[in-house]
Each structure stands twice: as C-alpha cells, then as structure tokens.
Amino acid sequence: MMRLTPRDAANGIAWLGILLLIGLAAVLVSILGFPGVLLLGLLTTLICVRAELAEAVPTWSRAMFESRMRGASPRGEAALREERRLHRASLRYYRGCGLVLIAAGLAGTLWQIWR
C-alpha cells in the first residue's frame, strides 16, 4: 500500500492550483481577451511576492516570541527551516506560473494589436 507523504499532498495541491489558473485564464481569454491573461499573471505574481515579503518582515508580537521559544530546540529549528523552505519553493513555483501568464498575456495582446 502506498503512503501519501506531505510532499505528495503539496504537489497535488500545486497541480490543482495550476489547473485552476489554466481554467481561469481560459475564461478570461474568452471574456477579456489576452489582456485578461496579463491581469491574471500580474495578480498571481503580486500575491506571491507579497506573501514572500510578509514572511521576511519580522513582526513584534507575543505570538512571534512564543513560536521562537518553541522552535528553540535543534529538532524544532530544523523542522521550522524545512517548513519555510517548502513554503518558499511553492511560492516560487506559483510566481513562475504568474510570470508565464504575464508573458503569454503580453505576447497575445501585442499579437492582437499587430493583427
């Protein structure tokens, strides 16, 4: 029997996200044309960059200090680093998808103007 690992679950969720973006892009192309795909790419990239910046900016709350105290053990610190690495990897993946949508939307828009 095959076990479902957290990485497999994350990959499955990533693929669902990609399929959702493809479906949304198809709807936007039919409604707005290629500028809609450009907007979708801009929004996707903006959300990913915002999430990356929010992770990098320290916050001075009680919860932050409590979480740092819980993660003080070497094992907890390693788990925290691994969790952050996976989070950053998924954000980079979706940001790359947003950049591809921007390129496709821009190319399609320029093609429609030129045609």
Side-chain angles (χ1 to χ4, degrees), residues 33-87:
F34 280 103
V37 176
L38 180 65
L39 288 173
L40 179 65
L42 287 170
L43 286 174
T44 303
T45 306
L46 178 70
I47 290 169
C48 290
V49 169
R50 171 70 176 103
E52 282 182 274
L53 288 175
E55 182 181 290
V57 175
T59 175
W60 295 100
S61 69
R62 184 175 163 199
M64 183 198 66
F65 290 117
E66 289 174 357
S67 68
R68 283 191 179 177
M69 295 308 291
R70 280 192 304 255
S73 71
R75 188 183 313 166
E77 210 171 293
L80 187 61
R81 266 189 268 123
E82 179 65 18
E83 181 182 336
R84 284 182 184 156
R85 187 188 66 78
L86 288 174
H87 182 66

Side-chain angles (χ1 to χ4, degrees), residues 1 17 24 32 36 50 61 65 67 69 72 74 76 96-97 114-115:
M1 182 174 217
L24 190 57
L32 299 175
R50 171 70 176 103
S61 69
F65 290 117
S67 68
M69 295 308 291
C97 292
W114 177 72
R115 189 175 62 123

